[in-house]
Amino acid sequence: MKKIVSLAAAVLMAIVLMVTGCSNGGHADQNGNSAANPSSGASAGSSSEPAANPVTISIFADQDSWQDLPTNAFTKTLEQKFNIRFQWTTVPYDGAPEKRQISLASGDYPDVFLLVPYIDHFTQADLLKYGQQGVIVPLNDLIDQYAPHIKEVLDANKDYKAMNTAPDGKIYGLNGLSACYHCSFPNKMWVNTAWMKKLQISTPKTTDDFKKMLEAFKTKDPNGNGKADEIPLSGSTETFGVHVVPFLMNAFIYDDDHTYLIMDNGKVDFAPNKPQWREGLKYIKSLYDEGLIDPAAFTQNAAAFAKTGNHNPELLGAGAGMHPAIFVDLNSESSKHYDSIPPLTGPGGVSYATFNYSGNPGASFVITNKAGKEQQIAMIKALDYIYTFEGQLEANTGIEGVDWRKPKEGEKALDPSMQARWTTIPGKPGDKPHNNAWAQLGQYNLSSEFRGSQVQSTDIYSPDGYERRLFDATKNNYDGKQPKQIFPHWAVWIDPGSADQAGMMQTNINNYVEQNELQFITGSKSLDKDWDDYVKGFDGLNLKGYLDIMQKAYDASTYGK
């Protein structure tokens, strides 16, 4: 299903994060943004005390190709700090989910599962099933007694807490906090402002303004080569904000580019069968009919999108995407030409930005019933250390002076309201990766303080200032422009008895929406003649039953409670 993040999408997502975060530790600096400072308010108390006697803990873990977890420097730090002896069962990324499932099915599973979430994770249905079977140990009491930093982060982040808390109030596992600020507003529009300046075009505010800008890109030869070869607007088919429809549809009705669900005073509703959706499709079709939207935008992958964006001379007027590095090389001069624009305002005064909490439901850390009390306490203490600023820096980045350093005089933090506290040390060409960090395996509290206090260049068009460019674009153009109420799909737990049915229904409904969307835009179907039949088609897909399941899940969730 298109809406489920694929491994390929996750890998491309990581590329942008490498731009400012790569060290010769061999891993990417993943993003995080949250309101909590996990090291400032909580007293570590007993969480910092090692076990009186050595505690052996068996762990099943996803291991990257550059890592050796048994000899890893951060592994040794935790073992020494908490008097732990880890016994590792490591699996490569390829085939990791199947190996975890075999382990559980055989009954020969470890004390702890520690996973890389975009490679493998326990789904919410998994957590409920194994939790109710007693295979997974609820973490609530362990967190309350031995993990003050984890507790503080949960209490300070309502979305994160709801994502990790089952409807019965139990926390069966934890995923990482990675409140990536710019990732939370994925459906941005990046426009060639060099062309705008050349053609003396102001930033478009309305759908009409945007159309006129695209028309100028198509007809006035902004690349100056004497050919009508400009592509006014393009995108691709992956899930990281590259669909061209949501940014445009948000001027008519909210499009979350994921579930298509909307909220109306606590009631779960559906956008694509509404008259406003039809009006949005009419507008998008008008752009398509005039050759203002690249037909390839509906079929090509990001690699093909990037070929258009990197063409010399420049061909691309505007590109949909979470960030411009998806379609243009950051080291090129062309990269400097693309700036984001705010959401457009449609004829009815509607103007939304798509918001998506940057985290996936489920858990990458669980403790099983094979762990005795000593193992449970020692492991939750070790994880609690990772939730501190110091622990997260070591887990994610490595060793001070080798993989990261403190700021030099004059260096600025990504977030202007914060003091710079750290930056990565870039690796030298030919260096072997350091085996010093857990990297993606240890990303559990990439908070706003952690992310915002990283050194960033003030030149937003340099690769070293790229994160600032995305931060500024999000803050200035998108944050605060989402609807007041959004269906929180990341925090809604569906009853295991309905999960398979709901998943099938969502797949069928989303596929139906997207297939018809393309047919209406390209003219294969008529918005005048075929719209009513399209709307009736949702009856055959049991849209009402699907909305009932989602409503019950929303009502039962701990979100906002």
Side-chain angles (χ1 to χ4, degrees), residues 258-376:
H258 190 89
T259 65
Y260 302 118
L261 298 176
I262 53 178
M263 297 299 298
D264 183 9
N265 293 320
K267 180 183 178 182
V268 180
D269 205 344
F270 188 64
N273 61 355
K274 301 291 184 291
Q276 299 95 317
W277 192 271
R278 181 185 184 187
E279 293 306 307
L281 290 177
K282 284 184 179 179
Y283 171 72
I284 299 168
K285 176 174 168 51
S286 76
L287 301 182
Y288 185 86
D289 288 347
E290 291 189 27
L292 304 180
I293 298 178
D294 181 7
F298 300 103
T299 57
Q300 70 186 356
N301 61 21
F305 186 17
K307 286 184 179 180
T308 299
N310 287 311
H311 192 276
N312 185 15
E314 291 176 9
L315 297 180
L316 186 62
M322 182 184 293
H323 55 87
I326 292 169
F327 61 83
V328 64
D329 183 354
L330 287 184
N331 293 301
S332 70
E333 189 66 23
S334 294
S335 171
K336 301 176 182 179
H337 297 167
Y338 292 93
D339 292 295
S340 68
I341 60 171
L344 303 172
T345 300
V350 173
S351 181
Y352 291 128
T354 294
F355 176 85
N356 183 33
Y357 183 74
S358 60
N360 289 321
S364 52
F365 171 89
V366 302
I367 297 177
T368 75
N369 60 358
K370 295 294 182 73
K373 194 65 176 178
E374 284 187 340
Q375 283 80 12
Q376 294 177 27

Side-chain angles (χ1 to χ4, degrees), residues 197-233:
K197 185 177 180 180
K198 181 177 181 178
L199 300 177
Q200 298 182 330
I201 299 172
S202 301
T203 301
K205 295 182 179 179
T206 68
T207 49
D208 285 343
D209 292 341
F210 189 73
K211 185 175 184 178
K212 290 175 183 176
M213 180 192 72
L214 296 183
E215 289 171 341
F217 288 169
K218 180 177 175 63
T219 62
K220 295 186 177 181
D221 193 27
N223 69 9
N225 69 348
K227 301 177 182 179
D229 56 356
E230 287 82 0
I231 297 173
L233 170 61

Side-chain angles (χ1 to χ4, degrees), residues 456-476:
Q456 274 286 294
S457 170
T458 55
D459 178 2
I460 64 170
Y461 296 108
S462 71
D464 289 342
Y466 189 58
E467 283 295 314
R468 189 181 303 281
R469 182 178 178 184
L470 303 181
F471 183 95
D472 291 349
T474 304
K475 184 175 182 180
N476 296 334

Side-chain angles (χ1 to χ4, degrees), residues 26 106 130 143 155 192 242 299-300 354 377 416 459 507 543 550:
S106 71
Y130 291 121
I143 291 172
D155 289 345
N192 192 324
V242 286
T299 57
Q300 70 186 356
T354 294
I377 293 171
D459 178 2
T507 298
L543 175 62
M550 291 304 185

